[in-house]
């Protein structure tokens, strides 16, 4: 099972990337076995080497692929941080769960399990201090996780778990990813960013933690691989993992820049505000390379609006009434055209900046903006420099409302994951 040279990874993939590397169509469906509490598969725990390496993208693809092979797939985020409020039918009231739990349950219609059992431990601000002071006990946390797993696993044919950050996250409160995986008898899938040396170094740090707690590593997924380095990365990472760990490369995922492009909804999150117009375009995404800080004349700005890519995010200062009105006028001109010919669509957005208490948008201009339906305009109380910095430092996260981004991640990742190898390595042998 550990061999990789004779596996599907080496067949006909020497010259190009194939999206059909591993078929995502369902093979024979797996059903419960009455032995081992009714499960043929050990639980699968997805952990990362650090933040922002595509752990949730990988989990989305794994859950999608598992649903094609099992009737009921369970999902748990044993320890979470960022939470949302949802309604638990079992409890008949609203509860807080990790945001990824909401995403997974709603996207994949996991109606056979209740929210109550999908997010047992959440670590909000102040939690760590309470734990150290003894207000929260280690035993209480473990009981919650064990009970959640018991309920979810009994209702499911296989259970997928998603960790939080790298394998050591949660150590200060005694529930790091490796500890939890060990306690639940789960096999770990490690996710790392593309590369060779640095990627393997990060993987090794996390392998050592898993080894310390006696956790089996089912395999590795390398994510965000540059297309021009895809074959090199896949070949050498497969070889080094097999030669040094005896572990397969379960997936090598080429980069998909769109998944890192913020939507206008993300900008609302960054700046803690709402679009003052164009709300229907909240899920329109903008490439980081197509953000334009406007400091030129109105004439030059209008030239840019007509010549640059239509879907460009422009940033200007709140004192530039001429640019703001010019933006609105161009929007009106384009949308009033009788025929929507190629190049006539207006998909630009305008971010209007000005430090709060010092600069304000006049009520007259604001009324004009709000009086036009459709042109996306966001007003933020930051300088243009601060706004640009915050946008470039932001890493977009998945949101159940942003269906396009979620579906794109699933469709992009799933074909590159070797589900046959994953299920073979996580199959119970006792």
């Amino acid at each position: 099972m550990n061999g990789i040279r004779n596996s599907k990874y080496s067949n006909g993939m020497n010259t190009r990337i194939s999206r059909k590397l591993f078929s995502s169509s369902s093979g024979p469906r797996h059903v419960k076995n009455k032995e081992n509490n009714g499960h043929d598969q050990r639980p699968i725990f997805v952990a990362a080497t650090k933040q922002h390496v595509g752990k949730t993208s990988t989990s989305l693809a794994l859950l999608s692929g598992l649903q094609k092979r099992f009737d009921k797939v369970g999902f748990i985020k044993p320890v979470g941080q960022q939470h949302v409020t949802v309604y638990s039918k079992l409890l008949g009231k609203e509860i807080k769960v990790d945001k990824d739990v909401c995403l997974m349950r709603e996207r994949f219609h996991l109606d056979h399990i209740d929210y109550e059992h999908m997010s047992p431990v959440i670590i909000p601000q102040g939690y760590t201090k309470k734990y150290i002071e003894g207000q929260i006990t280690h035993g209480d946390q473990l009981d919650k996780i064990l009970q959640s797993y018991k309920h979810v696993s009994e209702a499911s044919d296989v259970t997928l778990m998603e960790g939080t950050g790298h394998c050591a996250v949660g150590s200060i409160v005694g529930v790091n990813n490796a500890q939890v995986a060990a306690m639940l008898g789960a096999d770990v899938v490690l996710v790392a960013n593309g590369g060779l040396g640095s990627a393997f170094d990060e993987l090794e740090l996390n392998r050592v933690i898993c080894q310390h707690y006696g956790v089996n590593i089912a395999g590795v997924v390398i994510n965000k691989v540059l297309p021009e380095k895809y074959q090199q990365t896949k070949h050498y990472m497969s070889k080094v993992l097999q030669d040094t760990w005896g572990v397969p490369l379960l997936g090598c995922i080429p980069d998909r820049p769109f998944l890192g492009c913020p939507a206008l909804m993300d900008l609302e999150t960054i700046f803690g505000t709402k679009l003052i117009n164009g709300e229907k375009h909240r899920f329109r995404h903008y490439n980081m390379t197509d953000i334009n800080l406007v400091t030129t004349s109105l004439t030059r700005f209008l030239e840019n609006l007509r010549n640059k890519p239509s879907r460009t995010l422009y940033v200007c200062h709140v004192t530039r009434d001429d640019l703001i009105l010019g933006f609105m006028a161009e929007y009106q001109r384009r949308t009033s055209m009788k025929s929507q010919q190629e190049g006539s669509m207006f998909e630009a957005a305008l971010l209007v900046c000005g430090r709060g208490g010092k600069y304000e948008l006049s009520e007259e201009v604001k009324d004009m903006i709000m009086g036009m339906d459709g042109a996306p305009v966001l007003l933020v109380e930051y300088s243009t420099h601060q706004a640009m910095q915050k946008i470039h430092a932001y890493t977009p996260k998945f949101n159940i409302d942003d269906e396009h981004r979620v579906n794109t991640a699933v469709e992009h990742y799933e074909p590159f994951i070797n589900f046959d190898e994953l299920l073979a390595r996580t199959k119970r042998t006792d």
Side-chain angles (χ1 to χ4, degrees):
M1 259 195 289
N2 289 342
I4 200 165
R5 291 187 183 87
N6 296 323
S7 72
K8 295 181 181 179
Y9 283 92
S10 60
N11 295 337
M13 287 296 298
N14 295 325
T15 58
R16 62 188 179 88
I17 298 174
S18 170
R19 286 190 58 81
K20 295 184 179 179
L21 181 59
F22 305 117
S23 173
S24 61
S25 62
S26 58
R29 296 187 69 82
H30 300 255
V31 295
K32 279 190 178 182
N33 188 317
K34 290 183 179 179
E35 299 178 3
N36 298 313
N37 197 28
H39 300 91
D40 285 333
Q41 301 293 146
R42 292 187 294 274
I44 300 166
F45 193 108
V46 183
T49 55
K50 59 182 179 181
Q51 279 188 313
H52 312 318
V53 299
K55 175 169 52 62
T56 302
S57 300
T58 302
S59 296
L60 282 165
L62 287 173
L63 191 44
S64 177
L66 290 173
Q67 277 196 332
K68 293 179 173 67
R69 295 162 172 84
F70 295 88
D71 290 327
K72 292 182 179 180
V73 180
F75 180 83
I76 304 175
K77 184 130 183 184
V79 181
Q81 291 179 309
Q82 298 181 23
H83 62 266
V84 295
T85 301
V86 297
Y87 182 78
S88 166
K89 290 183 179 180
L90 189 64
L91 298 176
K93 65 178 183 180
E94 291 186 339
I95 60 173
K96 292 179 179 179
V97 300
D98 186 89
K99 61 180 180 58
D100 290 333
V101 165
C102 180
L103 169 66
M104 298 294 181
R105 189 176 188 276
E106 298 304 316
R107 170 61 176 78
F108 296 102
H109 308 291
L110 306 180
D111 299 326
H112 65 291
I113 49 180
D114 190 78
Y115 275 124
E116 183 197 4
H117 303 129
M118 299 178 72
S119 185
V121 175
I122 297 176
I123 304 180
Q125 188 174 6
Y127 186 97
T128 302
K129 294 178 182 177
K130 289 181 180 180
Y131 178 85
I132 294 173
E133 291 170 351
Q135 298 178 42
I136 300 168
T137 70
H138 187 233
D140 287 343
Q141 294 178 135
L142 298 186
D143 287 344
K144 287 180 180 179
I145 294 171
L146 285 167
Q147 286 301 311
S148 290
Y149 174 65
K150 179 177 182 293
H151 284 284
V152 172
S153 63
E154 286 179 352
S156 309
D157 299 318
V158 64
T159 301
L160 180 70
M161 307 179 202
E162 183 181 346
T164 299
H166 56 75
C167 287
V169 169
S171 294
I172 194 169
V173 293
V175 285
N176 70 44
N177 292 306
Q179 285 175 290
V180 173
M183 178 177 69
L184 301 179
D187 291 344
V188 167
V189 172
L190 283 176
V191 182
N193 266 346
L196 288 174
S198 60
F200 189 80
D201 292 346
E202 292 167 356
L203 285 164
E204 177 64 13
L205 287 171
N206 286 270
R207 184 195 68 82
V208 170
I209 297 172
C210 289
Q211 183 182 48
H212 175 74
Y213 289 100
V215 178
N216 180 59
I217 297 176
V220 170
V221 172
I222 299 296
N223 182 33
K224 302 180 184 178
V225 179
L226 294 175
E228 62 270 22
K229 294 187 177 181
Y230 181 84
Q231 295 300 332
Q232 169 186 296
T233 300
K234 182 173 72 69
H235 171 75
Y236 287 106
M237 188 59 76
S238 295
K239 180 172 173 53
V240 73
L241 286 172
Q242 186 61 45
D243 291 350
T244 59
W245 296 5
V247 166
L249 181 66
L250 293 173
C252 189
I253 319 294
D255 191 26
R256 183 73 160 84
F258 166 78
L259 296 174
C261 294
L264 294 175
M265 176 195 65
D266 294 313
L267 299 186
E268 291 180 326
T269 300
I270 294 172
F271 298 110
T273 186
K274 296 290 184 182
L275 286 160
I276 61 175
N277 202 358
E279 294 87 353
K280 63 184 178 182
H281 301 303
R282 291 181 71 237
F283 300 109
R284 182 179 286 168
H285 299 81
Y286 292 83
N287 196 310
M288 291 289 93
T289 59
D290 292 329
I291 298 179
N292 234 277
L293 175 60
V294 185
T295 58
T296 58
S297 67
L298 173 60
T299 301
R300 185 61 181 273
F301 177 51
L302 292 176
E303 289 176 359
N304 287 338
L305 281 174
R306 297 180 187 185
N307 297 322
K308 284 186 176 293
S310 177
R311 188 170 292 197
T312 298
L313 176 64
Y314 294 96
V315 180
C316 78
H317 197 263
V318 70
T319 56
R320 293 297 303 271
D321 289 348
D322 58 332
L323 300 180
I324 299 169
L325 295 177
F327 177 82
M328 302 306 296
E330 180 64 12
Y331 166 78
Q332 191 173 40
R333 184 188 76 84
R334 299 271 277 276
T335 54
S336 65
M337 295 173 67
K338 291 185 178 180
S339 62
Q340 292 294 329
Q341 300 174 0
E342 186 177 352
S344 65
M345 291 294 293
F346 188 91
E347 295 184 318
L350 184 64
L351 190 69
V352 181
C353 305
R355 282 177 288 177
K358 187 172 183 180
Y359 302 103
E360 290 187 6
L361 186 66
S362 70
E363 289 300 321
E364 293 78 11
V365 174
K366 185 182 292 186
D367 288 342
M368 290 187 68
I369 296 173
M370 299 179 71
M372 289 186 176
D373 178 40
V377 178
L378 193 68
L379 182 62
V380 302
E381 294 186 346
Y382 291 89
S383 69
T384 54
H385 177 68
Q386 290 172 324
M388 295 283 281
Q389 280 187 322
K390 290 178 77 70
I391 293 171
H392 284 290
Y394 181 75
T395 299
K397 294 297 182 180
F398 289 105
N399 185 300
I400 186 59
D401 295 321
D402 193 349
E403 294 181 6
H404 183 39
R405 194 203 301 271
V406 174
N407 291 338
T408 299
V410 173
E411 293 165 4
H412 179 66
Y413 275 67
E414 188 177 344
F416 290 97
I417 296 176
N418 190 338
F419 284 91
D420 291 340
E421 182 79 5
L422 172 63
L423 294 179
R425 287 186 61 81
T426 58
K427 189 175 181 64
R428 293 186 186 275
T429 56
D430 51 334

